Amino acid sequence: KIFDGFFLSQKQMPNIKTLCRNKKDYDRETKQDIFKINKNTNPGLHPFIKAREYQRALVATKLDKIFAKPFVGALTGHSDAISCFAKSLKSLTNFISGCYDGEVRFWDISTKKTVFNLNAHTGIVKGLTFSYDGLHFASCGSENQANLYRVQDCIDNYKNPEFQPLKKYQSKSHLTGIDHHYGEDKFVTSGQMVQVWSYERSQPLQSFEWGADSVTRARFNPSEQNLIAAVALDRSIALYDLRGGTPIKKNFLMNKSTSVCWNPMEPVMFTVSNEDSNCYTFDMRKLDIAKTIHKDHILAVMDIDYAPTGREFVTGSFDKTVRIFDVNAGKSREVYHGKRMQKIFSVCFSQDNHYVLTGSEDMNIRIWKANASEAMGVITARHERKINYREKLKERFKYNKEIKRISKHRQLPKYLFNAKRKRQIMKNSQFKRDQNVKVNNPDQAKSNRNEKKDKVTAVVD
């Protein structure tokens, strides 16, 4: 065959490919729909894919800072400082709080309103807990009395001035806290001793004593439901087993612990908040060493609560801040504070893992987002895919110097910033002092210390 005077054999014939497009593949279905754009999604074909994704990760990190508005709202109504919290395991909205004047309020978080309020005690409300089925709740006060209420009875009769609890339990010693069993009609109270009560009996089923000092907080294990962890004024953390009726093991820290909480997903792990401004995560099988030390607060940590996922926990402190920690991280990933927020006595995670509630000395209960930049309300599928893509990008580039600096930056109050700076100066000075001793007086130099072991002073079986 001849083209323009040139002879071409059959093998030299050019291959011609035609483009065939279907109008439905790129045309809009409606005027409100977006234009469809065909693009090659194979990342190996783009020469600048890494630089482009880095830029997107940087923008995503900055957008998180721009849209970080963690405060959701406040629940007002109490006339004294908030002392304790309790959340229902069977409801996302049911929540009760107690304060220092003896009042107990039942809240609906979705409407941010009080369902009912009771003058449950004549003194401070020391502890609150929901039953495992969410139908009852119990409270204990400084007058050495524990009360059991049925939720529906309280809703129907709370305006009646003669309304009485379902049952009352009088303790022979003072009470400091209460927690409910996760599968039976039992609850445990802490005080001069650890006492286990049944709904049907006015006297405790079991009592545990180990040492002369008072127990400040006791918690049932959500998985191994016969195990109880307790912290006491003698700086100890003790484990009790209801099946044997005797204590199991006990260790002592350098400072007093204020609260304890079990990990809901790992039955052998629990975390305690301490007055030395740190939190300590322990494996109940190895109480001679802390698994993780969580640092960032500058004053005593007063309360702690795990997220339902078991991956994070929230803490409240005397330094007027709320911090959220990863269970394996030594530093907090988020810190919340407010101009009017005072010392925090109670904290808890919501059952949907999206919100954090805090109770402080200024008589307010505040609701915060667990993720400060998370969008509220219903989101479309396209928006959800976009959020997931940005999260993957931030996870991929989280160790980049610039992205790491932006993501970790937090605006702190002046008093908190100065205190943290002084603490860092003291830490650096101690490190330099130890290094000088190693260089100049190697005989007097101390061996490398394990801080996780040094914090535990003794273990008793």
Side-chain angles (χ1 to χ4, degrees):
K1 298 181 180 180
I2 300 175
F3 289 93
D4 296 336
F6 293 94
F7 177 78
L8 298 176
S9 65
Q10 189 69 26
K11 294 183 179 180
Q12 294 175 336
M13 284 293 293
N15 295 325
I16 300 174
K17 295 182 179 179
T18 61
L19 297 177
C20 181
R21 299 193 181 189
N22 187 357
K23 188 177 181 181
K24 294 182 180 180
D25 293 339
Y26 61 88
D27 199 7
R28 293 189 297 176
E29 295 180 1
T30 63
K31 292 183 178 180
Q32 286 75 28
D33 198 3
I34 62 174
F35 285 98
K36 297 180 180 179
I37 300 175
N38 296 317
K39 60 180 180 180
N40 194 335
T41 57
N42 186 0
L45 299 179
H46 199 287
F48 302 112
I49 183 63
K50 189 172 182 180
R52 185 172 63 178
E53 287 191 344
Y54 163 75
Q55 186 64 27
R56 290 177 179 175
L58 184 63
V59 171
T61 306
K62 291 180 179 179
L63 286 176
D64 277 354
K65 292 297 179 182
I66 293 173
F67 294 108
K69 295 181 179 180
F71 182 69
V72 177
L75 307 178
T76 59
H78 281 293
S79 57
D80 208 339
I82 311 299
S83 60
C84 53
F85 280 165
K87 60 184 177 182
S88 173
L89 300 179
K90 297 297 182 180
S91 173
L92 296 178
T93 58
N94 291 350
F95 167 77
I96 51 178
S97 61
C99 66
Y100 275 75
D101 62 0
E103 184 188 33
V104 173
R105 283 182 177 264
F106 189 100
W107 302 88
D108 186 348
I109 301 178
S110 60
T111 60
K112 301 179 186 177
K113 292 182 179 180
T114 302
V115 179
F116 63 83
N117 61 305
L118 304 169
N119 291 321
H121 299 277
T122 58
I124 303 172
V125 182
K126 290 290 189 176
L128 289 167
T129 181
F130 267 101
S131 61
Y132 63 93
D133 56 6
L135 300 178
H136 300 81
F137 70 91
S139 66
C140 67
S142 56
E143 73 276 14
N144 306 342
Q145 180 176 296
N147 296 335
L148 179 66
Y149 297 90
R150 187 170 177 268
V151 175
Q152 191 58 45
D153 291 345
C154 295
I155 295 175
D156 297 337
N157 304 301
Y158 79 95
K159 291 184 179 180
N160 183 2
E162 299 180 357
F163 176 71
Q164 294 294 323
L166 187 64
K167 287 186 180 179
K168 295 182 179 181
Y169 306 89
Q170 191 66 37
S171 174
K172 295 181 180 179
S173 60
H174 70 278
L175 301 178
T176 58
I178 191 170
D179 190 42
H180 202 282
H181 196 278
Y182 283 85
E184 300 178 15
D185 292 339
K186 296 179 182 178
F187 60 89
V188 61
T189 59
S190 56
Q192 195 65 36
M193 63 185 75
V194 176
Q195 301 177 100
V196 180
W197 304 77
S198 174
Y199 283 8
E200 288 77 20
R201 295 186 60 179
S202 60
Q203 297 297 323
L205 296 176
Q206 291 175 295
S207 298
F208 301 95
E209 284 187 278
W210 197 352
D213 286 323
S214 297
V215 177
T216 56
R217 202 67 65 91
R219 288 285 183 268
F220 275 107
N221 190 312
S223 299
E224 293 293 334
Q225 298 174 359
N226 291 308
L227 286 178
I228 298 174
V231 293
L233 293 177
D234 60 354
R235 303 175 289 109
S236 66
I237 305 170
L239 298 176
Y240 303 93
D241 193 345
L242 301 184
R243 293 165 293 189
T246 57
I248 303 175
K249 190 175 287 188
K250 186 178 186 180
N251 73 347
F252 291 86
L253 300 181
M254 298 182 67
N255 295 84
K256 185 182 71 174
S257 298
T258 56
S259 184
V260 60
C261 189
W262 290 95
N263 190 323
M265 292 295 147
E266 297 183 52
V268 298
M269 309 299 295
F270 64 90
T271 304
V272 297
S273 56
N274 201 273
E275 287 190 347
D276 64 354
S277 75
N278 297 332
C279 295
Y280 301 91
T281 297
F282 286 95
D283 187 331
M284 62 175 289
R285 300 165 295 184
K286 298 179 181 179
L287 291 182
D288 57 338
I289 183 172
K291 184 176 181 294
T292 310
I293 301 177
H294 309 276
K295 302 178 180 180
D296 256 350
H297 286 291
I298 61 171
L299 292 177
V301 185
M302 299 306 297
D303 199 14
I304 182 172
D305 188 49
Y306 263 95
T309 59
R311 297 179 180 178
E312 294 179 332
F313 62 87
V314 60
T315 59
S317 171
F318 254 41
D319 60 12
K320 307 176 186 178
T321 61
V322 183
R323 292 186 180 269
I324 300 175
F325 291 85
D326 186 87
V327 67
N328 295 318
K331 297 291 184 179
S332 61
R333 72 161 179 86
E334 197 61 83
V335 55
Y336 299 147
H337 55 85
K339 289 184 178 180
R340 297 181 180 88
M341 189 163 65
Q342 299 301 312
K343 299 173 184 177
I344 299 170
F345 296 122
S346 301
V347 294
C348 76
F349 253 102
S350 64
Q351 281 296 99
D352 60 358
N353 197 42
H354 287 296
Y355 301 98
V356 169
L357 292 96
T358 63
S360 54
E361 198 178 30
D362 58 0
M363 304 178 291
N364 286 322
I365 300 171
R366 290 176 174 84
I367 306 175
W368 310 82
K369 295 179 187 176
N371 186 1
S373 58
E374 183 179 9
M376 295 181 65
V378 180
I379 60 175
T380 62
R382 184 183 301 162
H383 190 189
E384 186 177 3
R385 289 194 296 269
K386 181 180 180 181
I387 293 173
N388 294 336
Y389 177 60
R390 284 180 171 177
E391 291 297 326
K392 288 293 184 182
L393 288 177
K394 289 188 290 184
E395 180 68 21
R396 180 179 178 184
F397 291 93
K398 65 181 181 180
Y399 296 112
N400 180 274
K401 184 177 180 181
E402 183 69 10
I403 292 178
K404 187 177 180 180
R405 181 189 66 82
I406 296 173
S407 62
K408 286 191 173 184
H409 177 71
R410 296 292 184 275
Q411 293 288 351
L412 297 177
K414 193 171 183 180
Y415 74 92
L416 195 63
F417 179 80
N418 292 336
K420 289 181 71 67
R421 184 178 61 180
K422 288 180 182 179
R423 179 172 288 192
Q424 188 63 37
I425 292 173
M426 294 168 62
K427 184 179 178 181
N428 295 339
S429 299
Q430 182 63 39
F431 177 77
K432 289 181 180 179
R433 193 179 300 114
D434 294 340
Q435 294 299 316
N436 291 336
V437 171
K438 286 182 181 180
V439 172
N440 299 315
N441 299 312
D443 296 337
Q444 299 180 6
K446 297 180 181 179
S447 59
N448 293 329
R449 297 180 299 176
N450 187 349
E451 186 181 8
K452 296 179 181 179
K453 270 193 174 183
D454 292 344
K455 293 294 184 179
V456 180
T457 58
V459 179
V460 181
D461 293 326

